[in-house]
Amino acid sequence: MQAIENQDKALDDVQLDPVERLAVAYAPAGLRALWIGFLAFDHRLADAAREGRDPIMVQLRLAWWRDRMGEPVSRWPQGEPLLAVLAPWDAERAALGAIVDGWEARNVGSDGGVALRAARIGALAAIARLGGARDGAVLAAVAQAGGEWLDRKAAANATPRLPRSMRPLAVLRAAALAADDTRPMLRFGTLLRVGLFGR
């Protein structure tokens, strides 16, 4: 019971941007913590590895998170709110570990973000699997939508059909594709439509 209360408190304390909060609102209740954890974890790693930090300090911070993702949730230290939020990821911790590696490759290495992009898409596939998706076509659609969210220049003409569990991704993708729209009400209306209907 205490673990659930800790997770609920940690979820309340997570800082997401307004579009991310809107996107997460469309996640099925049972998967909302997965989405919040994924987005918050990526933000935390972005801060740990931000430009201008001493590369040794970046590697030490990232190594701490890598070590946690290599351990089962039952061995995680108490007191770090983000770890409480990430507890539902236990079966897919490796996907989060890949994001740690991606941030290191981007900021300490010289891969230009290739590994990070692949890791984020892999984490989206992990959310789909944790939500029950097993079909290869569904996972391919998740990969396509994730790629378009992360790089709108990669957008195809056809909108990928995503399961309900991935509705937040549909909203994030739509926000990225409409980033240059100077009509905020129309853009907001588009996000609401996509959140409700997925397209």
Side-chain angles (χ1 to χ4, degrees):
M1 189 61 146
Q2 183 66 39
I4 292 171
E5 289 175 8
N6 288 347
Q7 185 187 38
D8 288 344
K9 167 114 177 54
L11 286 172
D12 291 340
D13 292 341
V14 167
Q15 299 295 316
L16 301 178
D17 71 36
V19 170
E20 291 170 338
R21 286 212 171 270
L22 177 65
V24 165
Y26 289 106
L31 300 179
R32 201 161 289 144
L34 292 171
W35 280 102
I36 292 172
F38 163 63
L39 294 167
F41 187 60
D42 198 43
H43 285 307
R44 177 69 68 87
L45 296 179
D47 180 62
R50 73 174 179 260
E51 303 275 341
R53 282 196 189 265
D54 179 348
I56 299 297
M57 292 307 297
V58 169
Q59 287 180 298
L60 287 173
R61 288 170 189 253
L62 294 178
W64 189 88
W65 285 106
R66 183 182 297 107
D67 290 346
R68 299 298 72 76
M69 295 308 112
E71 301 171 334
V73 167
S74 61
R75 292 182 50 201
W76 285 357
Q78 302 296 309
E80 166 52 69
L82 183 52
L83 286 177
V85 174
L86 293 173
W89 276 87
D90 198 18
E92 292 279 359
R93 293 185 324 276
L96 297 179
I99 295 177
V100 177
D101 293 339
W103 274 107
E104 185 169 42
R106 180 181 180 274
N107 285 47
V108 179
S110 57
D111 86 334
V114 173
L116 179 58
R117 182 179 188 276
R120 286 169 167 162
I121 292 170
L124 292 168
I127 294 173
R129 288 191 298 272
L130 289 166
R134 297 288 179 267
D135 183 86
V138 169
L139 296 175
V142 168
Q144 177 191 334
E148 293 172 356
W149 165 46
L150 297 169
D151 179 8
R152 60 189 178 155
K153 291 182 286 229
N157 289 331
T159 301
R161 293 187 85 59
L162 299 172
R164 177 77 179 87
S165 62
M166 302 307 291
R167 191 64 54 85
L169 175 56
V171 174
L172 293 169
R173 174 188 175 273
L177 296 182
D180 292 336
D181 195 327
T182 57
R183 300 159 298 176
M185 291 307 293
L186 186 61
R187 182 171 182 252
F188 183 64
T190 298
L191 300 186
L192 291 180
R193 187 196 76 235
V194 170
L196 289 171
F197 305 110
R199 304 174 75 74

PDB file of all heavy atoms in Angstrom, residues 126-163:
ATOM      1  N   ALA A 126       7.915  -0.610 -26.251  1.00  0.00           N
ATOM      2  CA  ALA A 126       7.782  -1.256 -24.943  1.00  0.00           C
ATOM      3  C   ALA A 126       6.459  -0.876 -24.278  1.00  0.00           C
ATOM      4  O   ALA A 126       5.795  -1.732 -23.682  1.00  0.00           O
ATOM      5  CB  ALA A 126       8.964  -0.876 -24.051  1.00  0.00           C
ATOM      6  N   ILE A 127       6.065   0.396 -24.388  1.00  0.00           N
ATOM      7  CA  ILE A 127       4.763   0.806 -23.843  1.00  0.00           C
ATOM      8  C   ILE A 127       3.655   0.028 -24.534  1.00  0.00           C
ATOM      9  O   ILE A 127       2.720  -0.454 -23.890  1.00  0.00           O
ATOM     10  CB  ILE A 127       4.538   2.324 -24.000  1.00  0.00           C
ATOM     11  CG1 ILE A 127       5.525   3.111 -23.135  1.00  0.00           C
ATOM     12  CG2 ILE A 127       3.100   2.706 -23.636  1.00  0.00           C
ATOM     13  CD1 ILE A 127       5.486   4.618 -23.340  1.00  0.00           C
ATOM     14  N   ALA A 128       3.756  -0.093 -25.860  1.00  0.00           N
ATOM     15  CA  ALA A 128       2.736  -0.848 -26.599  1.00  0.00           C
ATOM     16  C   ALA A 128       2.678  -2.290 -26.108  1.00  0.00           C
ATOM     17  O   ALA A 128       1.590  -2.845 -25.898  1.00  0.00           O
ATOM     18  CB  ALA A 128       3.024  -0.790 -28.099  1.00  0.00           C
ATOM     19  N   ARG A 129       3.833  -2.911 -25.911  1.00  0.00           N
ATOM     20  CA  ARG A 129       3.853  -4.298 -25.420  1.00  0.00           C
ATOM     21  C   ARG A 129       3.267  -4.392 -24.018  1.00  0.00           C
ATOM     22  O   ARG A 129       2.488  -5.301 -23.717  1.00  0.00           O
ATOM     23  CB  ARG A 129       5.274  -4.855 -25.443  1.00  0.00           C
ATOM     24  CG  ARG A 129       5.803  -5.149 -26.837  1.00  0.00           C
ATOM     25  CD  ARG A 129       7.090  -5.949 -26.798  1.00  0.00           C
ATOM     26  NE  ARG A 129       8.179  -5.252 -26.132  1.00  0.00           N
ATOM     27  CZ  ARG A 129       9.025  -4.417 -26.730  1.00  0.00           C
ATOM     28  NH1 ARG A 129       8.901  -4.164 -28.028  1.00  0.00           N
ATOM     29  NH2 ARG A 129      10.001  -3.833 -26.044  1.00  0.00           N
ATOM     30  N   LEU A 130       3.640  -3.457 -23.142  1.00  0.00           N
ATOM     31  CA  LEU A 130       3.091  -3.461 -21.792  1.00  0.00           C
ATOM     32  C   LEU A 130       1.583  -3.230 -21.808  1.00  0.00           C
ATOM     33  O   LEU A 130       0.880  -3.648 -20.886  1.00  0.00           O
ATOM     34  CB  LEU A 130       3.791  -2.408 -20.934  1.00  0.00           C
ATOM     35  CG  LEU A 130       5.242  -2.742 -20.563  1.00  0.00           C
ATOM     36  CD1 LEU A 130       5.959  -1.519 -20.009  1.00  0.00           C
ATOM     37  CD2 LEU A 130       5.295  -3.895 -19.562  1.00  0.00           C
ATOM     38  N   GLY A 131       1.095  -2.583 -22.865  1.00  0.00           N
ATOM     39  CA  GLY A 131      -0.339  -2.375 -23.038  1.00  0.00           C
ATOM     40  C   GLY A 131      -1.030  -3.534 -23.726  1.00  0.00           C
ATOM     41  O   GLY A 131      -2.229  -3.464 -23.998  1.00  0.00           O
ATOM     42  N   GLY A 132      -0.279  -4.585 -24.048  1.00  0.00           N
ATOM     43  CA  GLY A 132      -0.877  -5.782 -24.626  1.00  0.00           C
ATOM     44  C   GLY A 132      -0.662  -5.972 -26.111  1.00  0.00           C
ATOM     45  O   GLY A 132      -1.104  -6.971 -26.673  1.00  0.00           O
ATOM     46  N   ALA A 133       0.012  -5.055 -26.791  1.00  0.00           N
ATOM     47  CA  ALA A 133       0.224  -5.192 -28.240  1.00  0.00           C
ATOM     48  C   ALA A 133       1.277  -6.255 -28.510  1.00  0.00           C
ATOM     49  O   ALA A 133       2.344  -6.248 -27.905  1.00  0.00           O
ATOM     50  CB  ALA A 133       0.657  -3.863 -28.839  1.00  0.00           C
ATOM     51  N   ARG A 134       0.967  -7.166 -29.408  1.00  0.00           N
ATOM     52  CA  ARG A 134       1.916  -8.201 -29.809  1.00  0.00           C
ATOM     53  C   ARG A 134       2.041  -8.298 -31.327  1.00  0.00           C
ATOM     54  O   ARG A 134       2.978  -8.870 -31.843  1.00  0.00           O
ATOM     55  CB  ARG A 134       1.480  -9.578 -29.269  1.00  0.00           C
ATOM     56  CG  ARG A 134       1.444  -9.681 -27.755  1.00  0.00           C
ATOM     57  CD  ARG A 134       2.846  -9.697 -27.163  1.00  0.00           C
ATOM     58  NE  ARG A 134       2.834  -9.782 -25.710  1.00  0.00           N
ATOM     59  CZ  ARG A 134       2.871  -8.745 -24.891  1.00  0.00           C
ATOM     60  NH1 ARG A 134       2.908  -7.528 -25.391  1.00  0.00           N
ATOM     61  NH2 ARG A 134       2.881  -8.899 -23.589  1.00  0.00           N
ATOM     62  N   ASP A 135       1.091  -7.724 -32.026  1.00  0.00           N
ATOM     63  CA  ASP A 135       1.034  -7.809 -33.476  1.00  0.00           C
ATOM     64  C   ASP A 135       2.147  -6.981 -34.113  1.00  0.00           C
ATOM     65  O   ASP A 135       2.352  -5.822 -33.748  1.00  0.00           O
ATOM     66  CB  ASP A 135      -0.341  -7.312 -33.949  1.00  0.00           C
ATOM     67  CG  ASP A 135      -0.501  -7.441 -35.448  1.00  0.00           C
ATOM     68  OD1 ASP A 135      -0.899  -8.526 -35.901  1.00  0.00           O
ATOM     69  OD2 ASP A 135      -0.207  -6.463 -36.151  1.00  0.00           O
ATOM     70  N   GLY A 136       2.850  -7.577 -35.064  1.00  0.00           N
ATOM     71  CA  GLY A 136       3.956  -6.881 -35.718  1.00  0.00           C
ATOM     72  C   GLY A 136       3.521  -5.623 -36.448  1.00  0.00           C
ATOM     73  O   GLY A 136       4.259  -4.633 -36.472  1.00  0.00           O
ATOM     74  N   ALA A 137       2.317  -5.641 -37.036  1.00  0.00           N
ATOM     75  CA  ALA A 137       1.829  -4.461 -37.757  1.00  0.00           C
ATOM     76  C   ALA A 137       1.587  -3.304 -36.791  1.00  0.00           C
ATOM     77  O   ALA A 137       1.863  -2.143 -37.108  1.00  0.00           O
ATOM     78  CB  ALA A 137       0.543  -4.797 -38.514  1.00  0.00           C
ATOM     79  N   VAL A 138       1.096  -3.606 -35.602  1.00  0.00           N
ATOM     80  CA  VAL A 138       0.863  -2.567 -34.604  1.00  0.00           C
ATOM     81  C   VAL A 138       2.197  -1.966 -34.166  1.00  0.00           C
ATOM     82  O   VAL A 138       2.349  -0.740 -34.089  1.00  0.00           O
ATOM     83  CB  VAL A 138       0.101  -3.133 -33.391  1.00  0.00           C
ATOM     84  CG1 VAL A 138       0.085  -2.131 -32.240  1.00  0.00           C
ATOM     85  CG2 VAL A 138      -1.317  -3.507 -33.781  1.00  0.00           C
ATOM     86  N   LEU A 139       3.163  -2.822 -33.899  1.00  0.00           N
ATOM     87  CA  LEU A 139       4.474  -2.330 -33.462  1.00  0.00           C
ATOM     88  C   LEU A 139       5.162  -1.527 -34.566  1.00  0.00           C
ATOM     89  O   LEU A 139       5.851  -0.551 -34.292  1.00  0.00           O
ATOM     90  CB  LEU A 139       5.347  -3.487 -32.993  1.00  0.00           C
ATOM     91  CG  LEU A 139       4.819  -4.213 -31.746  1.00  0.00           C
ATOM     92  CD1 LEU A 139       5.682  -5.419 -31.421  1.00  0.00           C
ATOM     93  CD2 LEU A 139       4.733  -3.279 -30.552  1.00  0.00           C
ATOM     94  N   ALA A 140       4.932  -1.913 -35.825  1.00  0.00           N
ATOM     95  CA  ALA A 140       5.477  -1.140 -36.952  1.00  0.00           C
ATOM     96  C   ALA A 140       4.819   0.234 -37.024  1.00  0.00           C
ATOM     97  O   ALA A 140       5.486   1.243 -37.287  1.00  0.00           O
ATOM     98  CB  ALA A 140       5.281  -1.904 -38.258  1.00  0.00           C
ATOM     99  N   ALA A 141       3.507   0.295 -36.769  1.00  0.00           N
ATOM    100  CA  ALA A 141       2.805   1.587 -36.771  1.00  0.00           C
ATOM    101  C   ALA A 141       3.309   2.470 -35.638  1.00  0.00           C
ATOM    102  O   ALA A 141       3.474   3.687 -35.799  1.00  0.00           O
ATOM    103  CB  ALA A 141       1.294   1.361 -36.646  1.00  0.00           C
ATOM    104  N   VAL A 142       3.594   1.868 -34.479  1.00  0.00           N
ATOM    105  CA  VAL A 142       4.144   2.615 -33.352  1.00  0.00           C
ATOM    106  C   VAL A 142       5.512   3.186 -33.724  1.00  0.00           C
ATOM    107  O   VAL A 142       5.808   4.351 -33.457  1.00  0.00           O
ATOM    108  CB  VAL A 142       4.239   1.717 -32.098  1.00  0.00           C
ATOM    109  CG1 VAL A 142       5.083   2.375 -31.012  1.00  0.00           C
ATOM    110  CG2 VAL A 142       2.840   1.391 -31.586  1.00  0.00           C
ATOM    111  N   ALA A 143       6.333   2.363 -34.363  1.00  0.00           N
ATOM    112  CA  ALA A 143       7.665   2.831 -34.781  1.00  0.00           C
ATOM    113  C   ALA A 143       7.551   3.975 -35.782  1.00  0.00           C
ATOM    114  O   ALA A 143       8.294   4.961 -35.701  1.00  0.00           O
ATOM    115  CB  ALA A 143       8.467   1.670 -35.371  1.00  0.00           C
ATOM    116  N   GLN A 144       6.610   3.861 -36.731  1.00  0.00           N
ATOM    117  CA  GLN A 144       6.427   4.932 -37.719  1.00  0.00           C
ATOM    118  C   GLN A 144       5.983   6.224 -37.040  1.00  0.00           C
ATOM    119  O   GLN A 144       6.558   7.295 -37.271  1.00  0.00           O
ATOM    120  CB  GLN A 144       5.388   4.525 -38.765  1.00  0.00           C
ATOM    121  CG  GLN A 144       5.111   5.639 -39.787  1.00  0.00           C
ATOM    122  CD  GLN A 144       3.905   5.370 -40.665  1.00  0.00           C
ATOM    123  OE1 GLN A 144       3.542   4.223 -40.888  1.00  0.00           O
ATOM    124  NE2 GLN A 144       3.284   6.433 -41.157  1.00  0.00           N
ATOM    125  N   ALA A 145       4.959   6.124 -36.178  1.00  0.00           N
ATOM    126  CA  ALA A 145       4.451   7.325 -35.502  1.00  0.00           C
ATOM    127  C   ALA A 145       5.512   7.925 -34.590  1.00  0.00           C
ATOM    128  O   ALA A 145       5.648   9.150 -34.514  1.00  0.00           O
ATOM    129  CB  ALA A 145       3.192   6.976 -34.705  1.00  0.00           C
ATOM    130  N   GLY A 146       6.283   7.072 -33.914  1.00  0.00           N
ATOM    131  CA  GLY A 146       7.340   7.569 -33.057  1.00  0.00           C
ATOM    132  C   GLY A 146       8.410   8.299 -33.848  1.00  0.00           C
ATOM    133  O   GLY A 146       8.879   9.366 -33.443  1.00  0.00           O
ATOM    134  N   GLY A 147       8.774   7.749 -34.990  1.00  0.00           N
ATOM    135  CA  GLY A 147       9.754   8.407 -35.844  1.00  0.00           C
ATOM    136  C   GLY A 147       9.262   9.757 -36.341  1.00  0.00           C
ATOM    137  O   GLY A 147      10.030  10.724 -36.414  1.00  0.00           O
ATOM    138  N   GLU A 148       7.959   9.845 -36.636  1.00  0.00           N
ATOM    139  CA  GLU A 148       7.390  11.107 -37.114  1.00  0.00           C
ATOM    140  C   GLU A 148       7.257  12.127 -35.987  1.00  0.00           C
ATOM    141  O   GLU A 148       7.354  13.334 -36.221  1.00  0.00           O
ATOM    142  CB  GLU A 148       6.041  10.827 -37.778  1.00  0.00           C
ATOM    143  CG  GLU A 148       6.196  10.019 -39.057  1.00  0.00           C
ATOM    144  CD  GLU A 148       4.902   9.538 -39.662  1.00  0.00           C
ATOM    145  OE1 GLU A 148       3.829   9.759 -39.058  1.00  0.00           O
ATOM    146  OE2 GLU A 148       4.949   8.937 -40.746  1.00  0.00           O
ATOM    147  N   TRP A 149       7.033  11.665 -34.774  1.00  0.00           N
ATOM    148  CA  TRP A 149       7.011  12.576 -33.627  1.00  0.00           C
ATOM    149  C   TRP A 149       8.398  13.170 -33.403  1.00  0.00           C
ATOM    150  O   TRP A 149       8.546  14.372 -33.193  1.00  0.00           O
ATOM    151  CB  TRP A 149       6.530  11.825 -32.383  1.00  0.00           C
ATOM    152  CG  TRP A 149       6.786  12.532 -31.089  1.00  0.00           C
ATOM    153  CD1 TRP A 149       6.553  13.860 -30.812  1.00  0.00           C
ATOM    154  CD2 TRP A 149       7.319  11.974 -29.887  1.00  0.00           C
ATOM    155  NE1 TRP A 149       6.911  14.146 -29.506  1.00  0.00           N
ATOM    156  CE2 TRP A 149       7.386  13.004 -28.912  1.00  0.00           C
ATOM    157  CE3 TRP A 149       7.737  10.701 -29.535  1.00  0.00           C
ATOM    158  CZ2 TRP A 149       7.852  12.797 -27.617  1.00  0.00           C
ATOM    159  CZ3 TRP A 149       8.197  10.489 -28.245  1.00  0.00           C
ATOM    160  CH2 TRP A 149       8.252  11.525 -27.305  1.00  0.00           C
ATOM    161  N   LEU A 150       9.406  12.325 -33.491  1.00  0.00           N
ATOM    162  CA  LEU A 150      10.770  12.767 -33.208  1.00  0.00           C
ATOM    163  C   LEU A 150      11.393  13.553 -34.359  1.00  0.00           C
ATOM    164  O   LEU A 150      12.303  14.339 -34.148  1.00  0.00           O
ATOM    165  CB  LEU A 150      11.643  11.559 -32.871  1.00  0.00           C
ATOM    166  CG  LEU A 150      11.200  10.802 -31.611  1.00  0.00           C
ATOM    167  CD1 LEU A 150      11.940   9.483 -31.495  1.00  0.00           C
ATOM    168  CD2 LEU A 150      11.398  11.658 -30.369  1.00  0.00           C
ATOM    169  N   ASP A 151      10.898  13.320 -35.580  1.00  0.00           N
ATOM    170  CA  ASP A 151      11.429  14.023 -36.756  1.00  0.00           C
ATOM    171  C   ASP A 151      10.296  14.159 -37.758  1.00  0.00           C
ATOM    172  O   ASP A 151      10.020  13.250 -38.541  1.00  0.00           O
ATOM    173  CB  ASP A 151      12.590  13.234 -37.369  1.00  0.00           C
ATOM    174  CG  ASP A 151      13.163  13.916 -38.603  1.00  0.00           C
ATOM    175  OD1 ASP A 151      12.770  15.071 -38.915  1.00  0.00           O
ATOM    176  OD2 ASP A 151      13.997  13.289 -39.283  1.00  0.00           O
ATOM    177  N   ARG A 152       9.627  15.307 -37.712  1.00  0.00           N
ATOM    178  CA  ARG A 152       8.442  15.476 -38.564  1.00  0.00           C
ATOM    179  C   ARG A 152       8.772  15.438 -40.044  1.00  0.00           C
ATOM    180  O   ARG A 152       7.909  15.209 -40.874  1.00  0.00           O
ATOM    181  CB  ARG A 152       7.703  16.752 -38.206  1.00  0.00           C
ATOM    182  CG  ARG A 152       8.520  17.992 -38.363  1.00  0.00           C
ATOM    183  CD  ARG A 152       7.803  19.178 -37.801  1.00  0.00           C
ATOM    184  NE  ARG A 152       8.633  20.345 -37.923  1.00  0.00           N
ATOM    185  CZ  ARG A 152       8.158  21.567 -37.981  1.00  0.00           C
ATOM    186  NH1 ARG A 152       6.881  21.771 -37.942  1.00  0.00           N
ATOM    187  NH2 ARG A 152       8.988  22.574 -38.084  1.00  0.00           N
ATOM    188  N   LYS A 153      10.057  15.633 -40.403  1.00  0.00           N
ATOM    189  CA  LYS A 153      10.424  15.529 -41.823  1.00  0.00           C
ATOM    190  C   LYS A 153      10.276  14.095 -42.323  1.00  0.00           C
ATOM    191  O   LYS A 153      10.233  13.856 -43.523  1.00  0.00           O
ATOM    192  CB  LYS A 153      11.862  16.014 -42.039  1.00  0.00           C
ATOM    193  CG  LYS A 153      12.016  17.522 -41.838  1.00  0.00           C
ATOM    194  CD  LYS A 153      13.421  17.954 -42.110  1.00  0.00           C
ATOM    195  CE  LYS A 153      14.303  17.529 -41.001  1.00  0.00           C
ATOM    196  NZ  LYS A 153      15.210  18.400 -40.382  1.00  0.00           N
ATOM    197  N   ALA A 154      10.213  13.153 -41.373  1.00  0.00           N
ATOM    198  CA  ALA A 154      10.066  11.750 -41.748  1.00  0.00           C
ATOM    199  C   ALA A 154       8.608  11.358 -41.941  1.00  0.00           C
ATOM    200  O   ALA A 154       8.312  10.197 -42.232  1.00  0.00           O
ATOM    201  CB  ALA A 154      10.688  10.851 -40.667  1.00  0.00           C
ATOM    202  N   ALA A 155       7.674  12.311 -41.786  1.00  0.00           N
ATOM    203  CA  ALA A 155       6.254  11.977 -41.835  1.00  0.00           C
ATOM    204  C   ALA A 155       5.838  11.460 -43.206  1.00  0.00           C
ATOM    205  O   ALA A 155       6.207  12.015 -44.238  1.00  0.00           O
ATOM    206  CB  ALA A 155       5.421  13.199 -41.458  1.00  0.00           C
ATOM    207  N   ALA A 156       5.075  10.391 -43.180  1.00  0.00           N
ATOM    208  CA  ALA A 156       4.516   9.814 -44.409  1.00  0.00           C
ATOM    209  C   ALA A 156       3.152  10.442 -44.668  1.00  0.00           C
ATOM    210  O   ALA A 156       2.608  11.156 -43.828  1.00  0.00           O
ATOM    211  CB  ALA A 156       4.386   8.294 -44.253  1.00  0.00           C
ATOM    212  N   ASN A 157       2.590  10.170 -45.837  1.00  0.00           N
ATOM    213  CA  ASN A 157       1.277  10.712 -46.158  1.00  0.00           C
ATOM    214  C   ASN A 157       0.181  10.061 -45.317  1.00  0.00           C
ATOM    215  O   ASN A 157      -0.780  10.704 -44.937  1.00  0.00           O
ATOM    216  CB  ASN A 157       0.965  10.520 -47.653  1.00  0.00           C
ATOM    217  CG  ASN A 157       1.813  11.428 -48.510  1.00  0.00           C
ATOM    218  OD1 ASN A 157       2.203  12.500 -48.092  1.00  0.00           O
ATOM    219  ND2 ASN A 157       2.120  10.993 -49.716  1.00  0.00           N
ATOM    220  N   ALA A 158       0.322   8.765 -45.057  1.00  0.00           N
ATOM    221  CA  ALA A 158      -0.711   8.040 -44.317  1.00  0.00           C
ATOM    222  C   ALA A 158      -0.458   8.132 -42.818  1.00  0.00           C
ATOM    223  O   ALA A 158       0.667   7.960 -42.363  1.00  0.00           O
ATOM    224  CB  ALA A 158      -0.729   6.580 -44.755  1.00  0.00           C
ATOM    225  N   THR A 159      -1.510   8.411 -42.061  1.00  0.00           N
ATOM    226  CA  THR A 159      -1.416   8.439 -40.608  1.00  0.00           C
ATOM    227  C   THR A 159      -1.451   7.009 -40.087  1.00  0.00           C
ATOM    228  O   THR A 159      -2.359   6.256 -40.419  1.00  0.00           O
ATOM    229  CB  THR A 159      -2.593   9.234 -40.008  1.00  0.00           C
ATOM    230  OG1 THR A 159      -2.569  10.558 -40.533  1.00  0.00           O
ATOM    231  CG2 THR A 159      -2.525   9.279 -38.503  1.00  0.00           C
ATOM    232  N   PRO A 160      -0.470   6.612 -39.282  1.00  0.00           N
ATOM    233  CA  PRO A 160      -0.471   5.235 -38.777  1.00  0.00           C
ATOM    234  C   PRO A 160      -1.644   4.994 -37.826  1.00  0.00           C
ATOM    235  O   PRO A 160      -2.029   5.880 -37.065  1.00  0.00           O
ATOM    236  CB  PRO A 160       0.869   5.119 -38.050  1.00  0.00           C
ATOM    237  CG  PRO A 160       1.301   6.508 -37.776  1.00  0.00           C
ATOM    238  CD  PRO A 160       0.685   7.378 -38.814  1.00  0.00           C
ATOM    239  N   ARG A 161      -2.237   3.812 -37.901  1.00  0.00           N
ATOM    240  CA  ARG A 161      -3.328   3.439 -37.002  1.00  0.00           C
ATOM    241  C   ARG A 161      -2.716   2.853 -35.733  1.00  0.00           C
ATOM    242  O   ARG A 161      -2.026   1.846 -35.791  1.00  0.00           O
ATOM    243  CB  ARG A 161      -4.260   2.435 -37.667  1.00  0.00           C
ATOM    244  CG  ARG A 161      -5.024   3.031 -38.848  1.00  0.00           C
ATOM    245  CD  ARG A 161      -6.068   2.092 -39.396  1.00  0.00           C
ATOM    246  NE  ARG A 161      -7.355   2.104 -38.751  1.00  0.00           N
ATOM    247  CZ  ARG A 161      -8.165   3.138 -38.617  1.00  0.00           C
ATOM    248  NH1 ARG A 161      -7.787   4.325 -39.051  1.00  0.00           N
ATOM    249  NH2 ARG A 161      -9.328   3.025 -38.037  1.00  0.00           N
ATOM    250  N   LEU A 162      -2.978   3.501 -34.624  1.00  0.00           N
ATOM    251  CA  LEU A 162      -2.389   3.104 -33.347  1.00  0.00           C
ATOM    252  C   LEU A 162      -3.462   2.563 -32.409  1.00  0.00           C
ATOM    253  O   LEU A 162      -4.608   3.023 -32.449  1.00  0.00           O
ATOM    254  CB  LEU A 162      -1.706   4.300 -32.691  1.00  0.00           C
ATOM    255  CG  LEU A 162      -0.558   4.941 -33.476  1.00  0.00           C
ATOM    256  CD1 LEU A 162      -0.104   6.232 -32.796  1.00  0.00           C
ATOM    257  CD2 LEU A 162       0.599   3.971 -33.608  1.00  0.00           C
ATOM    258  N   PRO A 163      -3.094   1.621 -31.542  1.00  0.00           N
ATOM    259  CA  PRO A 163      -4.065   1.136 -30.552  1.00  0.00           C
ATOM    260  C   PRO A 163      -4.363   2.214 -29.521  1.00  0.00           C
ATOM    261  O   PRO A 163      -3.618   3.193 -29.384  1.00  0.00           O
ATOM    262  CB  PRO A 163      -3.348  -0.065 -29.926  1.00  0.00           C
ATOM    263  CG  PRO A 163      -1.897   0.188 -30.148  1.00  0.00           C
ATOM    264  CD  PRO A 163      -1.795   0.948 -31.443  1.00  0.00           C
TER     265      PRO A 163
END
